[in-house]
Amino acid sequence: RLVAVGAACALAFGLVGCGGSSIKPPSDPVGEALMPDLAPAPPRQVHMTRSKGRWVMSFDSSMVNIGRGPFVLRAEREDGEWRVIQDVMYSTSGGRSIPLRATMVWGGDGHNHWHIARVAINHLVPIRPGTRPVLARGLIDSKVGFCFYDYHHVRPYGPAKKTYSRHGCGHENSKAIRMGLSPGWVDTYPWVLPGQSVDVTKLKDGNYRLWAVVDEQGWFHEASDKNDVTWA
């Protein structure tokens, strides 16, 4: 995610892949809808660091598409305002385009591309002895959003090769972008990247649960929203 978009991107992906001036929507849908299904993976890398007198917990974030269809978002910008659309693909051909309330945000902190704001969110919450794990709002990570794409193939289905790349997240002057996550693929933000952290300086010693949540706002169309939460 720290690699600059250069000439190779222009040659391999053209204006569409790099975030150009327009991106063609899918043709009319034929067949049945192939819905994506987003699920977070529990954070596996959790680290404590101390800098300038502050304690920070850093962690990785992973979002998996366990559905039948790709998770595809397009965004178009006019007069400085972004409009975000989800394309639900169909089994025979084409797809259905659905306007969303999702918002865009520019990284600018080492994530030098566009993000969908708050696709995945982390909450750090004290564990209350004798109670079942129930999601509660706690300290929230400082991550701006997700620029998602096919990072690693983790399920025995979906395309064997990457369909969506980081170049789909565009550059600062892009007027249109498209990002996607194929079925069976995961997108991971390692713990060392900006925003993958919570300041825990003022917390008391004790046991805590780190929740990982996708689509907390209910913006996206999925096969199920019952698997949108996990924890470590």
Side-chain angles (χ1 to χ4, degrees):
R1 291 181 176 77
L2 304 182
V3 178
V5 177
C9 172
L11 291 172
F13 295 93
L15 288 176
V16 170
C18 294
S21 57
S22 64
I23 293 177
K24 187 177 180 180
S27 58
D28 292 339
V30 180
E32 62 174 320
L34 301 177
M35 301 301 297
D37 192 0
L38 305 179
R44 299 183 182 276
Q45 293 285 334
V46 181
H47 299 264
M48 293 291 294
T49 57
R50 186 171 174 84
S51 175
K52 298 180 180 179
R54 313 291 298 180
W55 281 103
V56 174
M57 174 185 285
S58 301
F59 42 83
D60 60 341
S61 295
S62 294
M63 182 173 68
V64 190
N65 183 358
I66 60 174
R68 297 177 60 204
F71 177 50
V72 180
L73 297 185
R74 286 186 292 119
E76 301 171 351
R77 180 163 53 166
E78 186 174 349
D79 297 328
E81 296 292 328
W82 283 100
R83 184 169 63 102
V84 182
I85 301 164
Q86 180 176 349
D87 289 334
V88 175
M89 310 312 292
Y90 274 60
S91 56
T92 301
S93 64
R96 183 164 57 102
S97 297
I98 307 171
L100 303 178
R101 290 178 296 157
T103 56
M104 300 288 294
V105 60
W106 174 252
D109 58 358
H111 299 279
N112 293 317
H113 43 234
W114 288 99
H115 299 69
I116 304 295
R118 312 308 283 168
V119 173
I121 298 174
N122 296 88
H123 297 272
L124 186 65
V125 182
I127 293 177
R128 303 189 186 280
T131 61
R132 295 176 62 249
V134 177
L135 176 63
R137 297 189 67 84
L139 292 182
I140 302 177
D141 66 270
S142 57
K143 183 176 176 60
V144 296
F146 249 82
C147 160
F148 55 88
Y149 56 87
D150 295 344
Y151 184 72
H152 185 57
H153 196 192
V154 293
R155 295 273 179 154
Y157 52 81
K161 295 184 178 180
K162 293 182 180 182
T163 302
Y164 304 96
S165 87
R166 66 177 179 270
H167 301 305
C169 303
H171 49 77
E172 192 167 8
N173 296 323
S174 296
K175 296 293 182 65
I177 65 170
R178 178 175 58 194
M179 57 183 76
L181 187 63
S182 296
W185 286 74
V186 61
D187 181 61
T188 298
Y189 270 78
W191 67 275
V192 295
L193 292 181
Q196 295 294 139
S197 61
V198 171
D199 188 326
V200 296
T201 305
K202 296 182 179 181
L203 290 185
K204 297 179 180 179
D205 289 349
N207 296 318
Y208 290 80
R209 184 169 280 116
L210 180 62
W211 292 90
V213 188
V214 298
D215 193 21
E216 189 172 59
Q217 299 88 348
W219 283 337
F220 310 122
H221 295 262
E222 304 180 61
S224 173
D225 59 5
K226 299 185 183 301
N227 50 15
D228 286 353
V229 178
T230 188
W231 53 267

